[in-house]
Amino acid sequence: MSGGIWTLPAGADIALAAGVAKTVLGVRAGAAFAIYLKRLRISFDGVNAANTPVLIELCRSTFATQPPTGTNNTVVTPVLHTGRSTTVGVTAARNWTTEPTALTPIEEFRLTPNGGTLAYDEPLQDEPDCDLQEGFVVRLTAVQNVNARPVLLFGRC
């Protein structure tokens, strides 16, 4: 893998409505290079121990519909985490109001929203990557209303 590593924090709590799948954070590669994922972090602000776990889906996306351009989502700027300062060359967003349709889940798991936090590092040399102008999203489905705050760490390849 070449280039730097960028972190993509949502920068705000994202409200999840009960029983509704919500794309909360996503990144799309540029036309000159692909991207790979290094890490997913997510936390919830639930305070009720009786809350049902949230379904977390890490999805590959073609962004055939609803790309991260600020239409039906809020643009987020990646921050250089390690490596040389260079133009990141991706588009990224949070909090989709209209869901992207071309999503393929590559990892799925559940986590309690009762103050639950997940920090998952992709195994070295086993990081998922995507094609040019495609990318990744985090999609959440909560049974009860709760707020989430996701972060992705990615690199260019």
Side-chain angles (χ1 to χ4, degrees):
M1 308 294 173
S2 63
I5 303 293
W6 284 266
T7 185
L8 182 63
D13 284 344
I14 299 171
L16 305 178
V20 178
K22 174 102 172 156
T23 299
V24 295
L25 190 63
V27 59
R28 181 183 188 189
F33 53 84
I35 58 175
Y36 65 99
L37 287 182
K38 294 284 293 173
R39 182 178 303 145
L40 165 64
R41 288 192 179 141
I42 190 159
S43 60
F44 300 101
D45 69 352
V47 295
N48 186 343
N51 281 1
T52 305
V54 174
L55 174 63
I56 301 169
E57 296 173 284
L58 180 58
C59 302
R60 187 172 278 120
S61 178
T62 65
F63 290 111
T65 63
Q66 309 307 328
T69 58
T71 302
N72 298 317
N73 50 56
T74 302
V75 170
V76 179
T77 302
V79 177
L80 185 64
H81 182 71
T82 62
R84 302 281 185 235
S85 181
T86 184
T87 303
V88 65
V90 303
T91 55
R94 69 170 187 251
N95 200 17
W96 268 254
T97 56
T98 302
E99 287 296 299
T101 57
L103 301 179
T104 303
I106 57 174
E107 295 187 30
E108 300 176 318
F109 40 91
R110 297 184 187 275
L111 180 67
T112 179
N114 183 22
T117 298
L118 169 78
Y120 180 75
D121 290 327
E122 294 289 345
L124 188 61
Q125 300 299 316
D126 198 25
E127 303 97 339
D129 62 5
C130 68
D131 290 329
L132 303 177
Q133 295 187 316
E134 295 187 1
F136 301 98
V137 301
V138 178
R139 182 171 59 183
L140 306 174
T141 307
V143 177
Q144 293 87 13
N145 293 347
V146 68
N147 292 321
R149 191 171 282 245
V151 177
L152 289 174
L153 203 74
F154 68 92
R156 298 181 352 175
C157 56

